[in-house]
Amino acid sequence: MVCVLVPVLLAAVMGCGVRPSGVSDAGEAPTGVAPGMTLYFVDEDGLRPQFRRTERLGTVSDAVSLLLSGPGDSEVRTEIAPTPVTSVEVTTHPETIELRVPLDIEDVTPLGIDQIVCTARTSHVQNGGSDRTRVRIRFVQFTPESEVHRTCPLYE
């Protein structure tokens, strides 16, 4: 019995011959998989994704803030009233993204709400989040609309 255990013990102590290596530097970590963000605007057919080149993927907050800055010189429009404040606070929960936007409910149409929800959802998914996550929009003034957990109608 001892004769059998000695070779097994020696093999375990010696390992398989692979030597440990030091840490190797592979450069900087990637900052995103896309050179921009997808925002949702409106055209004659309804909601339409529009890619905006920003040289980085960006966060949900970045994407919604860029959406609030308007469609720029493009062929699409927005259903969100212009606002000088475009910063958006984002809190992510296991199944919900909560957005605090600098808008009142009167500042957006139902299609404008869909623009915000689709933009937030797409950014969340592009950053590795679940496509089942719902979006809740908290407006400046309380409204029952702030309690609704929404999905993007393009992906239902």
Side-chain angles (χ1 to χ4, degrees):
M1 176 93 158
V2 173
C3 292
V4 173
L5 288 178
V6 171
V8 171
L9 184 59
L10 279 175
V13 170
M14 293 177 61
C16 62
V18 176
R19 302 270 182 223
S21 64
V23 175
S24 58
D25 186 8
E28 292 190 30
T31 58
V33 295
M37 295 178 248
T38 302
L39 311 179
Y40 286 80
F41 288 101
V42 180
D43 66 9
E44 62 277 351
D45 296 323
L47 280 179
R48 178 175 149 198
Q50 187 178 64
F51 182 77
R52 292 291 174 93
R53 185 168 288 283
T54 59
E55 302 307 324
R56 63 190 185 96
L57 183 58
T59 64
V60 171
S61 180
D62 294 335
V64 177
S65 292
L66 189 56
L67 175 73
L68 294 180
S69 69
D73 295 333
S74 62
E75 68 281 0
V76 293
R77 69 181 192 281
T78 185
E79 295 285 316
I80 304 167
T83 178
V85 178
T86 60
S87 62
V88 176
E89 183 182 316
V90 178
T91 306
T92 304
H93 304 283
E95 296 178 5
T96 307
I97 301 167
E98 183 177 294
L99 306 173
R100 290 194 181 275
V101 296
L103 305 166
D104 285 321
I105 189 67
E106 295 84 25
D107 294 331
V108 294
T109 67
L111 202 51
I113 289 173
D114 289 342
Q115 284 180 252
I116 295 169
V117 170
C118 292
T119 297
R121 179 210 180 267
T122 298
S123 177
H124 177 71
V125 170
Q126 287 175 335
N127 279 293
S130 170
D131 62 354
R132 296 182 189 171
T133 302
R134 304 229 178 229
V135 178
R136 184 169 52 199
I137 303 172
R138 300 287 187 167
F139 295 95
V140 173
Q141 298 289 332
F142 176 79
T143 173
E145 292 294 317
S146 290
E147 299 306 315
V148 178
H149 290 75
R150 304 171 189 278
T151 61
C152 178
L154 297 178
Y155 302 105
E156 291 182 332

